[in-house]
Amino acid sequence: MPSVRCCTKAMRVVTGVTFSGALLLSGCGGDTDPVAPTTTQSVGPTTIVEQTNESKPATATVRVTDMRFSPAELRIAVGDTVVWTFDDSVPHTVQGIGDRAMGINSPIIDKGEWSHTFTTAGTYRYLCTLHPEMRGSITVE
């Protein structure tokens, strides 16, 4: 029959191994999110896009008030947006003149805003269909 001392020593070893294993496993948890293993796979050559100092698209405002477009002439860059802000005592529209300006076609607006983004260079003429004497132009460079 084994002695008590031998069993006690064996229990200490088992307890120590169990405790060490528990410590190791507790290090796998914690407050941080686990990081999933990653694999790297080559998919071919990489294209590097070099950033330039070109400006980002901008927004220009044309006020529609006192029976006129202000400013009546505007210069913007390709990709810029023009916002017409309507604040007059009567309703107005913004209607492109000619083939180039076909996309410029607002509804009748009493108060509020309407916008158009210009994606092609050129000069765009427009008018108010309700008040044809109201005219403007936008040059996109």
Side-chain angles (χ1 to χ4, degrees), residues 45-108:
T46 303
T47 301
I48 299 173
V49 178
E50 184 175 318
Q51 283 189 319
T52 62
N53 289 333
E54 293 180 29
S55 61
K56 294 181 180 179
T59 301
T61 301
V62 174
R63 291 187 38 88
V64 185
T65 186
D66 297 326
M67 297 294 290
R68 63 186 172 122
F69 296 109
S70 181
E73 295 181 8
L74 189 61
R75 287 189 179 277
I76 62 171
V78 171
D80 288 356
T81 299
V82 175
V83 177
W84 284 266
T85 303
F86 298 84
D87 187 23
D88 208 346
S89 58
V90 294
H92 297 285
T93 66
V94 178
Q95 176 66 53
I97 301 171
D99 291 344
R100 178 179 296 275
M102 290 295 290
I104 303 172
N105 188 14
S106 79
I108 296 172

Side-chain angles (χ1 to χ4, degrees), residues 34-50:
V35 177
T38 59
T39 57
T40 304
Q41 180 180 6
S42 177
V43 293
T46 303
T47 301
I48 299 173
V49 178
E50 184 175 318

